[in-house]
Amino acid sequence: MKIIVLMGGTSTERMVSISSGEQVCMACRKKGHRAVLLDVFFGTQQPAEDSFFAEEYDVAFHAEALRKKTEVLEKTKRERTQFFGDHVIELCKMADMVFLALHGENGEDGKVQAAFDLLGISYTGTDYLSSAICMDKGLSRILLTASHVPMAKGLCLKKEEKEKPFEKLSLSFPCIVKPCCGGSSVGVAIASNEEEYKIALQEAFSYEEEVIVEEYIKGREFSVALIHGKALPIIEIAPKQGFYDYKNKYQAGATIETCPANLSKEKTKEMQTYAELAYKVLRLHTYARIDFMMDLKENLYCLEANTLPGMTKTSLLPQEAKAIGMEYEDLCEKIIEISMEKCKK
């Protein structure tokens, strides 16, 4: 098949997206597909012709070239109003499947998916509506709580409410402050007192106009990946220092990841059941990842849903898939297969 691995973009997770895309493209090539990388924002100067899907293709070389383009990202954003880069739409129309390796804003928020739906372009993962809902942590909190998926006590704050005294939030320290629609823990901080809370708010609001403030859950962190709505073995995430922030997520060796997680059969079943319920409530499709915390009394709390989980060498989804004997290349092939079925309906 002719496959466009769409990555890059303009979000704070651009570099992670390129790493995901590079690995996916290599995997698709190993499966015999004519897969190529394409930056959704920068596009390509190469004409939209069948020759773009070359038989011989140096994935690592092209990925590195796209990383270098990040140096001119901000300048290009100021000079342009259009999001899609040159020939992106034409090439995606030519492909049999677009494998979305996008993360964060303008990729994981449903905007690209909505455009592709209108244009009849086939893509991997969930649709525009579910993507938008999951990207908005405030909205997804409301839906999950209403469906009896346990969540930590918390609320949304708009920028004009940033001066609201902490004591009026009906929360206690320590608390977590995070951008409402961010990803990869960018802008997330733990605040133990009023001073740290104000600093955390300022940082989170520098990314977005709305933030989430919720009580900090002390305990163990887990993630449950799902393929076609079925939960995979649970992975436990234990950072060697601090919490599971951007650095600990993507720096090799910074976090101890155990899969399957050391949990009782009962607790494993409970967490997987909640993950499958969240998948259904949020109308997810193809694959996703639901993150959880378990406190010292073994109470579970859902953190968030990820509609386009990372596919880097250190990402969680590939590790969970491997726990059931599914190698990385087979995982990518399965995602494409399920997505093809979805597009035929």
Side-chain angles (χ1 to χ4, degrees), residues 312-331:
T312 70
K313 290 180 179 178
T314 58
S315 293
L316 305 179
L317 171 61
Q319 294 185 59
E320 293 180 65
K322 193 167 186 177
I324 60 168
M326 185 181 290
E327 295 298 328
Y328 187 92
E329 292 80 8
D330 298 321
L331 171 62

Side-chain angles (χ1 to χ4, degrees), residues 14-45:
R14 172 180 169 82
M15 297 302 278
V16 181
S17 171
I18 294 173
S19 295
S20 284
E22 181 178 9
Q23 297 302 311
V24 168
C25 195
M26 287 180 176
C28 291
R29 283 262 157 187
K30 287 180 181 178
K31 284 293 187 179
H33 300 297
R34 285 192 288 163
V36 291
L37 295 171
L38 185 61
D39 192 309
V40 67
F41 181 69
F42 284 103
T44 178
Q45 295 303 308

Side-chain angles (χ1 to χ4, degrees), residues 7-20 39-42 63 65-71 73 101 103-104 246:
M7 27 61 74
T10 59
S11 83
T12 54
E13 298 174 74
R14 172 180 169 82
M15 297 302 278
V16 181
S17 171
I18 294 173
S19 295
S20 284
D39 192 309
V40 67
F41 181 69
F42 284 103
L66 293 174
R67 288 188 181 95
K68 289 179 180 178
K69 280 186 175 289
T70 307
E71 297 171 5
L73 177 62
H103 302 312
Y246 187 94

